[in-house]
């Protein structure tokens, strides 16, 4: 089933393109204007811009000297799975389409960094309070996190709806069987 046009594609492709471009542009700005590891306050200590390079994955997960290649392969594998999930998405299921688009866009944004730079993914958004800081992140990370949360919520809702339909089906099927049994017992 092709998904290059229709309501899902109208959401999916623009979201992917806009997020990948926004991620790329903001990383270029950060690399050209920030000094590595020197925080620049934006909103006091709560929001700072601090240029760092992350050779690992989320929250600095590092698997040694081959982390770059391992995470590239894992990202491509995740993109294949996400593409199949997108293709199986019902036309008009815009929440699921948006969620998949966000995760794909974020994964692509960070994959571009892994391919381009041996030093790792460019991170620069630094939030926290004094010494209690969230790991530094970027636009792609925000897209992946938001999309993953939305996808979990959508899939949870789909699962609940499916269980409710199954329960209704067994109740309807069960009452039909009981009616048929009662009718056969009443027959002469």
């Amino acid at each position: 089933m092709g998904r290059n046009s229709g309501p899902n594609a109208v959401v999916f492709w623009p979201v992917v393109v806009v997020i990948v471009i926004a991620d790329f542009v903001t990383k270029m700005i950060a690399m050209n204007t920030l000094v590595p590891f020197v925080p620049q306050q934006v909103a006091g200590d709560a929001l700072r811009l601090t240029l760092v390079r992350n050779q690992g994955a989320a929250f600095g997960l590092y698997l040694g000297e081959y982390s770059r290649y391992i995470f590239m392969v894992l990202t491509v594998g995740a993109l294949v799975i996400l593409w199949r999930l997108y293709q199986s998405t019902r036309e008009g299921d815009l929440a699921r389409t948006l969620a998949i688009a966000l995760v794909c866009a974020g994964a692509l944004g960070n994959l571009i960094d892994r391919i381009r730079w041996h030093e790792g993914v460019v991170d620069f958004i630094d939030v926290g309070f004094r010494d209690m800081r969230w790991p530094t992140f970027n636009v792609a990370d925000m897209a992946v996190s938001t999309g993953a949360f939305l996808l979990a919520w959508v899939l949870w809702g789909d699962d609940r709806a499916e269980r409710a339909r199954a329960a209704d089906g067994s109740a309807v099927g069960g009452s039909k069987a009981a009616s048929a049994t009662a009718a056969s017992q009443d027959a002469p």
Side-chain angles (χ1 to χ4, degrees):
M1 190 182 304
R3 298 293 179 166
N4 293 323
S5 62
N8 291 359
V10 170
V11 171
F12 184 84
W13 292 111
V15 168
V16 170
V17 169
V18 167
I19 296 293
V20 169
I21 290 171
D23 182 62
F24 184 83
V25 168
T26 56
K27 287 173 179 175
M28 292 297 99
I29 292 169
M31 290 176 59
N32 290 319
T33 60
L34 299 173
V35 176
F37 306 107
V38 178
Q40 299 295 314
Q41 291 189 348
V42 174
D45 196 44
L47 174 61
R48 308 184 308 195
L49 299 178
T50 306
L51 179 62
V52 298
R53 299 304 276 272
N54 179 1
Q55 291 184 334
F59 310 115
L61 177 64
Y62 185 68
L63 301 176
E65 66 180 290
Y66 298 108
S67 281
R68 175 183 182 203
Y69 304 106
I70 292 168
F71 291 123
M72 276 194 245
V73 169
L74 290 173
T75 300
V76 170
L79 287 167
V80 168
I81 292 167
L82 288 164
W83 179 250
R84 295 180 106 187
L85 188 59
Y86 168 68
Q87 288 183 312
S88 71
T89 299
R90 236 178 23 260
E91 280 299 329
D93 189 346
L94 301 183
R96 181 170 166 165
T97 301
L98 175 61
I100 296 167
L102 287 168
V103 177
C104 284
L108 283 169
N110 285 336
L111 180 62
I112 289 167
D113 281 11
R114 290 186 200 290
I115 292 169
R116 291 183 67 192
W117 296 299
H118 187 279
E119 297 88 3
V121 173
V122 174
D123 288 332
F124 60 93
I125 302 169
D126 177 7
V127 297
F129 179 71
R130 295 187 184 158
D131 291 337
M132 297 179 291
R133 317 265 348 139
W134 190 258
T136 307
F137 57 96
N138 57 46
V139 172
D141 297 334
M142 290 189 296
V144 168
S145 298
T146 303
F149 177 80
L150 180 57
L151 186 57
W153 181 66
V154 166
L155 293 176
W156 178 68
D158 289 351
D159 183 57
R160 288 186 64 194
E162 183 62 34
R163 281 190 274 145
R165 279 192 295 276
D168 288 347
S170 66
V172 169
S175 63
K176 285 181 182 176
S179 298
T181 303
S184 68
Q185 290 174 349
D186 290 340

